[in-house]
Amino acid sequence: ASPAIDLGEPLAALFKRARVADSLYRRYEGRLAELGVGDAGDLLEEVAEKGIGSLDIHDRQAEKLRQALLGRRGWGDAAAVLASLSGLSLGDTPAGVAAGDQAAGGGAAAGGEGRGG
């Protein structure tokens, strides 16, 4: 079974839960901060976009993190897991498309209210 994923879980807690030694976490902490990776959600996003290799984490520790975050799923599933948990697509949506979606949604809601009255 896959573990529950808390996208806001701090990295220190995630590494501890994954049984990665604190001394190793401190070694990786600076690099992760440089990448803007501050929690489990950021880590999944970075892996989804650039792969686990972008984090410069030793294979053994990366495997422990994968098991703690994804259970039986592989790092290749990070994008799908992140999207399903956040309800968002990882793809960049052009501003006009996003605004158009909001306008269409707002119009549909307004139309629905008008018909109901």
Side-chain angles (χ1 to χ4, degrees), residues 8 12 17 34 38-40 48 52 55 59 98 100:
R17 187 166 57 86
E34 287 174 16
D39 59 27
I52 187 66
L55 300 178
D59 289 347

Side-chain angles (χ1 to χ4, degrees), residues 39-52:
D39 59 27
D42 293 340
L43 190 142
L44 280 175
E45 187 173 345
E46 181 71 17
V47 170
E49 291 177 4
K50 299 177 185 170
I52 187 66

Side-chain angles (χ1 to χ4, degrees), residues 103-114:
E113 290 171 8

Side-chain angles (χ1 to χ4, degrees), residues 46-95:
E46 181 71 17
V47 170
E49 291 177 4
K50 299 177 185 170
I52 187 66
S54 69
L55 300 178
D56 290 331
I57 293 176
H58 187 274
D59 289 347
R60 184 176 298 159
Q61 281 69 49
E63 178 60 16
K64 289 179 179 181
L65 288 170
R66 184 199 60 75
Q67 288 177 356
L69 273 173
L70 301 172
R72 294 181 183 167
R73 295 172 289 209
W75 285 120
D77 296 323
V81 168
L82 188 61
S84 70
L85 291 173
S86 65
L88 301 173
S89 170
L90 287 178
D92 292 332
T93 303

